């Protein structure tokens, strides 16, 4: 379970999050929607531990552990996974190499044995097949020269292999054509389980037709301003964010 | 893949003290009187039991050297070297010329054991597949203390021995080739080396022979205030092939020590020489105290048609590196290659690169250079590609990438291109990049620590060059690079 209490965050003296409260229960899929600049991506980065963000107040607890006191790699080992909106390229490092390094780093941090090579390959092959990732892609340098769809599929592959307990999808639908959106969504849905929660950040209702959320939160000016069921997303799709902007002006 | 994991383990296991070869060996040494003079040169020559012509060669070089000036064009700065405050010869007192390993001082054997250099053939043979064998020539300060697999190599007709021995046993070969690639008068440091060189390796591969194993020389500077002036001469006769590896380390000392080597390679018709170096001299401490001054002249002559010379270097050590392994592409259709990884951290200064001199027709060359600068170091690539007017159809491809870690280091690229033949095609690509915070964050988000993330990104950056190294060396080099960059992040 993820609990965020009164989170206040600024970057270079600019306040982005203003006392944000949010709870995502175990097994829940929560969507966050909101206009540009409402602080959605900042929220995902602060949960994952990116530098540059100054946390002025509040706390983030994952299953009772205080994430704000942990380094990004410790948070990852504790179960936080962020699927990036713009996955980074690592030239010269084969995707396979990267996957193995990441999996073993997390296992080591949790005091588990490293994977044997056959075991590793078996896991990768099984997960890759479902995401329609072929061997050639796994041999190529991570994300280098990948299409938008390939990059997002690679993110979900990493999610599948790392088995996190809390997954953040940061605008995973951006830059995806219909086929890629289907593959990625199916990949995510396959990972839904009573032990795993998701925070799905998106602008559009489209993604939520594929990954159906349990809860929808509307974010505006660094706060959650409305919470509802999946029908809230449809409402937003029809009416836009104008209501929330006006309420701020008022 | 396992190599990456090993690198990461290696990085993890290191504490503050990064240079693990900095220990000293207690052996009683015999030295020449301090300083440089005709008498010292006569002393060295006599110690080596050299013929008169060799002594004369040295004395001529010395006379020439007295008239020369130390070069100042490189992008390095250091206190003036007092050439009379150096010992030019230091050899273990007990037995400077052991006939077999049993005669080698056990302390010295222990030293190589500690360095992980196998000198006992039976130990090497045990448990290792035949094709993985490496013959080693171990040079300790000024003398070669052991050369392995000599007999087996001799069966194939390969000569692999200390150069001081070769001067006595194969004077004709030495006379014919010594100084034929790097002339006595070539440059200040090469001329100094010609006057005072003490030991190094000599290799001759007869026509049509593929050398049955990798050859390697391991250089160790141990004695205080002593310079190492090694001389290596490799001749690949027609249609032959040899792969040669060179490694080096030195104890940690507060004073700087001079290493001025000369390496000459000669490839005749259809011959191929692969020369790989992993240079790990003591780089000095974090404040820039101590460390080796590495002023080295390495040059290969593709003398015959269709000959090939490949230089691969991984440079991680030395306070100052001044080194330009080059190829003279004399034979028609000959090929020269230079693959380099130069890592600098702390206060290290590197000025390194290559020269590809195209003289023959349809000669090709390829330069792949990867510079990684961290800490407060300065890392310069300096290269020359030239085509003589008769070098019709000459081709070069140069790719020169720099990676910066942190914001207090510098990377510089100084390429010279000279073409006197209109048909020559020279291509040059260069990039400079930094490990971005976003890349680091991405890796850390996946569970990699800062060190692991840096190691992974750097390994990716140097991959093209590491692939050129023999397998075992590549793994070593990968570890070494990570160790050298330890403490450079954050």
């Amino acid at each position: 379970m993820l609990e965020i209490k009164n989170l206040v965050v600024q970057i270079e003296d600019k306040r982005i999050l203003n006392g944000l409260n949010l709870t995502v229960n175990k097994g829940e899929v929560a969507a966050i929607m909101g206009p540009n600049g409402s602080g959605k991506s900042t929220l995902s980065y602060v949960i994952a531990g990116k530098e540059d963000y100054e946390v002025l107040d509040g706390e983030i607890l994952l299953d009772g552990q205080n994430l704000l006191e942990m380094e990004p790699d410790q948070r990852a080992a504790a179960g936080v996974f962020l699927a990036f909106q713009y996955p980074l390229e690592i030239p010269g490092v084969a995707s396979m190499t990267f996957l193995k390094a990441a999996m073993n780093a997390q296992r080591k941090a949790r005091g588990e044995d490293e994977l044997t090579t056959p075991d590793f390959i078996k896991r990768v092959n099984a997960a890759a097949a479902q995401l329609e990732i072929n061997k050639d892609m796994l041999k190529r340098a991570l994300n280098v020269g990948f299409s938008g769809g390939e990059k997002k599929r690679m993110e979900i592959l990493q999610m599948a292999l790392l088995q996190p307990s809390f997954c953040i999808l940061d605008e995973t639908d951006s830059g995806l054509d219909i086929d890629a959106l289907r593959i990625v969504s199916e990949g995510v849905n396959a990972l839904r389980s009573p032990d795993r929660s998701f925070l799905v950040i998106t602008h559009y209702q489209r993604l939520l037709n594929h990954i159906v959320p349990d809860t929808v939160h509307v974010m505006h000016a660094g706060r959650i301003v409305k919470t509802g069921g999946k029908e809230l997303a449809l409402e937003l799709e029809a009416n836009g964010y104008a209501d929330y902007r006006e309420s701020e002006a008022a | 893949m396992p190599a990456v994991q090993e690198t990461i383990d290696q990085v993890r296991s290191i504490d503050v003290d990064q240079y693990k070869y900095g220990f000293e060996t207690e052996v009683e040494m015999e030295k020449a009187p301090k300083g440089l003079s005709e008498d010292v040169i006569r002393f060295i020559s006599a110690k080596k039991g050299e013929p008169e012509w060799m002594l004369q060669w040295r004395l001529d070089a010395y006379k020439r050297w007295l008239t020369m000036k130390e070069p100042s064009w490189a992008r390095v700065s250091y206190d003036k070297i007092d050439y009379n405050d150096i010992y030019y010869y230091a050899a273990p007192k007990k037995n400077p010329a052991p006939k077999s390993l049993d005669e080698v001082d056990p302390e010295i054997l222990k030293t190589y054991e500690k360095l992980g250099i196998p000198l006992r053939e039976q130990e090497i043979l045990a448990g290792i597949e035949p094709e993985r064998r490496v013959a080693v020539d171990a040079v300790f300060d000024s003398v070669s203390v052991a050369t392995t697999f000599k007999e087996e190599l001799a069966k194939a007709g390969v000569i692999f021995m200390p150069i001081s021995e070769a001067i006595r046993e194969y004077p004709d070969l030495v006379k014919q080739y010594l100084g034929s690639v790097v002339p006595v008068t070539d440059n200040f440091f090469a001329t100094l080396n010609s006057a005072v060189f003490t030991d190094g390796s000599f290799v001759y591969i007869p026509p049509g022979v593929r050398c049955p194993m990798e050859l390697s020389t391991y250089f160790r500077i141990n004695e205080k205030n002593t310079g190492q002036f090694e001389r290596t001469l490799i001749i690949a006769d027609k249609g032959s092939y040899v792969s040669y590896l060179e490694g080096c380390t030195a104890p940690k000392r507060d004073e700087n020590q001079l290493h001025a080597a000369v390496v000459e390679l000669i490839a005749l018709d259809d011959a191929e020489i692969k020369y790989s170096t992993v240079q790990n001299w003591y780089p000095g401490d974090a404040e820039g105290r101590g460390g080796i001054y590495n002023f080295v002249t390495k040059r290969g002559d593709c003398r015959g048609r269709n000959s090939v010379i490949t230089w691969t270097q991984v440079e991680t050590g030395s306070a100052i590196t001044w080194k330009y392994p080059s190829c003279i592409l004399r034979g028609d259709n000959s090929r020269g290659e230079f693959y380099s990884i130069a890592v600098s951290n702390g206060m290290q200064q590197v000025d390194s690169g290559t020269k590809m001199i195209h003289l023959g027709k349809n000669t090709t060359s390829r330069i792949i250079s990867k510079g990684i600068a961290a800490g407060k170091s300065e890392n310069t690539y300096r290269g020359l590609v030239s085509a003589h007017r008769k070098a019709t159809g000459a081709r070069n491809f140069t790719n020169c990438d720099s990676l910066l870690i942190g914001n207090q280091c510098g990377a510089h690229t100084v390429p010279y291109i000279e073409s006197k033949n209109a048909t020559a095609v020279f291509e040059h690509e260069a990039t400079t990049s930094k490990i971005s915070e976003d890349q680091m964050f991405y890796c850390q988000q996946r569970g990699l620590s800062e060190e692991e993330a840096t190691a992974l990104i750097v390994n990716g950056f140097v991959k093209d060059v590491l692939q050129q190294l023999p397998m075992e060396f590549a793994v070593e080099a990968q570890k070494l690079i990570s160790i050298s960059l330890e403490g450079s992040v954050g």
Side-chain angles (χ1 to χ4, degrees):
Chain A
M1 184 168 83
L2 184 90
E3 293 169 274
I4 300 177
K5 293 175 194 158
N6 188 36
L7 190 62
V8 181
V9 172
Q10 70 176 19
I11 182 166
E12 289 164 0
D13 294 334
K14 192 171 176 246
R15 198 64 71 91
I16 311 284
L17 300 183
N18 283 303
L20 180 133
N21 293 294
L22 176 71
T23 300
V24 184
N25 290 312
K26 225 172 207 7
E28 181 182 336
V29 175
I32 291 200
M33 301 183 74
N36 289 327
S38 56
K40 302 189 300 295
S41 284
T42 296
L43 176 62
S44 65
Y45 284 143
V46 173
I47 296 171
K50 194 172 198 282
E51 277 182 39
D52 315 332
Y53 294 95
E54 200 183 339
V55 177
L56 299 176
D57 201 3
E59 55 182 5
I60 305 177
L61 302 174
L62 178 67
D63 300 326
Q65 300 178 78
N66 186 352
L67 290 185
L68 293 176
E69 283 174 358
M70 296 157 80
E71 293 295 318
D73 49 313
Q74 294 170 322
R75 297 183 198 202
V80 175
F81 183 93
L82 169 61
F84 282 61
Q85 183 179 2
Y86 304 107
L88 277 293
E89 298 182 357
I90 315 287
V93 178
S95 302
M96 277 295 243
T97 307
F98 184 83
L99 292 172
K100 196 175 185 194
M103 287 170 80
N104 281 333
Q106 292 201 10
R107 294 178 73 91
K108 259 201 277 182
R110 291 193 292 257
E112 299 163 10
D113 283 343
E114 289 189 13
L115 289 170
T116 62
T117 301
D119 189 14
F120 165 72
I121 290 173
K122 216 160 65 190
R123 289 181 193 219
V124 173
N125 287 346
Q130 196 184 16
L131 290 159
E132 298 180 26
I133 290 173
N134 60 25
K135 292 226 162 61
D136 174 59
M137 197 169 139
L138 291 168
K139 280 186 205 151
R140 282 155 63 195
L142 184 71
N143 293 329
V144 177
F146 282 22
S147 70
E150 285 175 329
K151 283 183 184 176
K152 295 296 166 76
R153 267 149 59 202
M154 186 55 76
E155 291 293 284
I156 306 305
L157 175 65
Q158 293 179 50
M159 188 191 278
L161 292 170
L162 292 168
Q163 297 279 319
S165 59
F166 188 78
C167 311
I168 308 165
L169 305 178
D170 188 4
E171 308 215 8
T172 294
D173 51 333
S174 69
L176 291 188
D177 61 31
I178 295 164
D179 290 336
L181 183 65
R182 180 185 52 78
I183 296 169
V184 164
S185 305
E186 281 171 4
V188 172
N189 287 331
L191 290 171
R192 289 176 79 149
S193 97
D195 300 326
R196 185 172 291 130
S197 343
F198 289 83
L199 191 62
V200 181
I201 295 174
T202 184
H203 280 295
Y204 305 107
Q205 151 69 18
R206 182 177 79 147
L207 178 67
L208 303 181
N209 289 335
H210 297 271
I211 303 171
V212 180
D214 300 308
T215 334
V216 175
H217 302 276
V218 181
M219 189 165 172
H220 179 61
R223 246 181 291 212
I224 302 295
V225 292
K226 190 168 184 183
T227 298
K230 61 184 176 205
E231 64 288 345
L232 181 54
L234 295 166
E235 201 180 292
L236 286 170
E237 185 77 359
N239 304 335
Y241 296 109
D243 294 350
Y244 303 99
R245 290 209 177 92
E246 278 161 24
S247 71
E248 185 196 31
Chain B
M1 261 187 308
V4 173
Q5 197 48 51
E6 277 177 48
T7 308
I8 290 165
D9 293 343
Q10 195 81 15
V11 174
R12 276 249 166 107
S13 66
I14 308 157
D15 50 23
V16 196
D17 205 354
Q18 302 160 39
Y19 191 73
K20 65 169 181 175
Y21 305 104
F23 64 88
E24 196 176 333
T25 309
E26 291 290 338
V27 189
E28 221 186 323
M29 299 293 276
E30 183 186 20
K31 292 192 249 186
K34 209 177 204 181
L36 186 51
S37 65
E38 276 200 22
D39 286 346
V40 167
I41 291 166
R42 284 177 197 281
F43 175 94
I44 294 170
S45 187
K47 278 283 160 202
K48 302 277 178 193
E50 287 177 352
E52 181 61 25
W53 63 266
M54 196 65 244
L55 173 64
Q56 214 44 59
W57 201 80
R58 289 173 179 276
L59 290 173
D60 288 347
Y62 176 62
K63 275 182 206 131
R64 183 63 180 243
W65 181 74
L66 289 173
T67 68
M68 293 168 88
K69 268 196 158 160
E70 203 170 317
S72 59
W73 43 261
R75 199 185 170 92
V76 293
S77 65
Y78 54 94
D79 290 339
K80 212 172 153 45
I81 299 168
D82 182 352
Y83 291 91
N84 278 319
D85 196 30
I86 296 172
Y87 289 104
Y88 288 83
Y89 179 86
K93 210 168 202 171
K94 262 192 210 150
N95 196 343
K99 297 253 163 0
S100 77
L101 270 188
D102 300 331
E103 293 178 23
V104 178
D105 190 318
E107 281 301 315
I108 295 177
L109 284 182
K110 264 191 229 159
T111 302
Y112 285 93
E113 219 168 276
K114 256 169 122 173
L115 294 168
I117 310 301
L119 292 184
R120 293 193 179 277
E121 289 176 25
Q122 57 274 37
E123 285 167 18
I124 303 166
L125 288 168
I128 294 174
E129 292 164 47
E131 64 266 28
R132 285 273 175 256
R133 284 178 305 166
V134 178
V136 180
D137 181 16
V139 178
F140 193 80
D141 288 329
S142 305
V143 292
S144 168
V145 291
T147 310
T148 61
F149 291 109
K150 259 167 114 169
E151 284 166 30
E152 196 174 331
L153 288 167
K155 271 186 226 155
V158 172
I159 306 171
F160 178 46
M161 57 171 56
I163 197 158
S164 48
E165 227 174 288
I167 290 167
R168 295 190 300 265
E169 291 186 24
Y170 298 96
D172 293 342
L173 270 178
V174 175
K175 247 191 204 170
Q176 187 184 347
Y177 291 105
L178 189 73
S180 72
V181 186
V182 179
V184 171
T185 55
D186 191 76
N187 71 72
F188 183 83
F189 296 108
T191 307
L192 174 64
N193 174 287
S194 301
V196 301
F197 76 87
T198 41
D199 228 329
S201 302
F202 176 82
V203 176
Y204 173 77
I205 316 289
V209 170
R210 192 178 169 88
C211 188
M213 62 183 90
E214 306 259 358
L215 305 181
S216 83
T217 305
Y218 195 89
F219 295 98
R220 174 78 176 167
I221 301 180
N222 185 62
E223 196 59 21
K224 209 171 166 176
N225 294 326
T226 301
Q228 192 173 57
F229 303 93
E230 94 250 5
R231 185 106 196 175
T232 294
L233 179 58
I234 300 176
I235 304 138
D237 213 321
K238 289 178 184 170
S240 69
Y241 169 85
V242 63
S243 167
Y244 179 93
L245 320 169
E246 176 205 283
C248 31
T249 56
K252 288 183 174 181
R253 298 190 188 285
D254 287 343
E255 311 82 34
N256 295 108
Q257 282 182 286
L258 181 62
H259 174 253
V262 172
V263 174
E264 295 177 275
L265 313 182
I266 296 119
L268 301 181
D269 288 356
D270 305 300
E272 180 172 357
I273 302 175
K274 274 179 92 99
Y275 192 106
S276 312
T277 308
V278 173
Q279 187 264 107
N280 186 23
W281 294 118
Y282 177 52
D285 67 13
E287 274 77 51
R289 267 191 310 264
I292 301 288
Y293 288 169
N294 194 31
F295 295 100
V296 171
T297 306
K298 290 185 169 176
R299 198 173 299 154
D301 189 352
C302 287
R303 206 164 282 183
R305 298 169 60 90
N306 310 316
S307 56
V308 180
I309 290 179
T310 303
W311 297 100
T312 306
Q313 59 170 24
V314 177
E315 303 280 312
T316 60
S318 297
I320 294 174
T321 302
W322 181 99
K323 182 182 167 189
Y324 316 90
S326 304
C327 294
I328 300 167
L329 302 166
R330 200 184 302 275
D332 290 347
N333 308 316
S334 62
R335 188 168 90 231
E337 294 176 353
F338 174 77
Y339 299 96
S340 170
I341 299 169
V343 181
S344 57
N345 196 357
M347 301 289 283
Q348 282 177 276
Q349 304 175 60
V350 178
D351 195 301
S352 183
T354 184
K355 288 188 267 186
M356 292 291 171
I357 316 286
H358 293 256
L359 303 178
K361 289 185 181 64
N362 301 317
T363 48
T364 53
S365 62
R366 186 177 162 84
I367 299 170
I368 308 287
S369 164
K370 306 276 179 180
I372 300 161
K376 294 179 180 167
S377 66
E378 293 290 332
N379 202 323
T380 303
Y381 167 82
R382 187 183 302 277
L384 166 71
V385 179
S386 79
H388 190 263
R389 61 188 169 77
K390 286 182 183 158
T392 307
R395 286 194 75 103
N396 164 267
F397 173 75
T398 298
N399 174 278
C400 192
D401 296 330
S402 306
L403 186 69
L404 297 164
I405 301 176
N407 50 16
Q408 288 178 291
C409 51
H412 317 274
T413 304
V414 191
Y416 300 87
I417 296 173
E418 294 170 6
S419 178
K420 293 188 177 128
N421 186 301
T423 64
V425 179
F426 292 167
E427 288 174 71
H428 182 95
E429 287 176 2
T431 65
T432 301
S433 53
K434 261 188 92 162
I435 294 185
S436 75
E437 283 173 18
D438 287 344
Q439 268 177 328
M440 288 295 288
F441 174 61
Y442 185 78
C443 294
Q444 285 181 273
Q445 208 300 304
R446 298 302 186 246
L448 299 168
S449 68
E450 246 178 283
E451 282 84 5
E452 291 168 331
T454 309
L456 193 76
I457 294 168
V458 168
N459 279 333
F461 177 73
V462 301
K463 200 183 104 205
D464 295 350
V465 175
L466 281 183
Q467 281 173 341
Q468 297 296 326
L469 286 170
M471 223 334 235
E472 299 82 349
F473 244 39
V475 174
E476 271 307 302
Q478 204 167 21
K479 286 184 200 168
L480 194 57
I481 292 163
S482 303
I483 294 168
S484 307
L485 291 171
E486 169 70 357
S488 63
V489 284

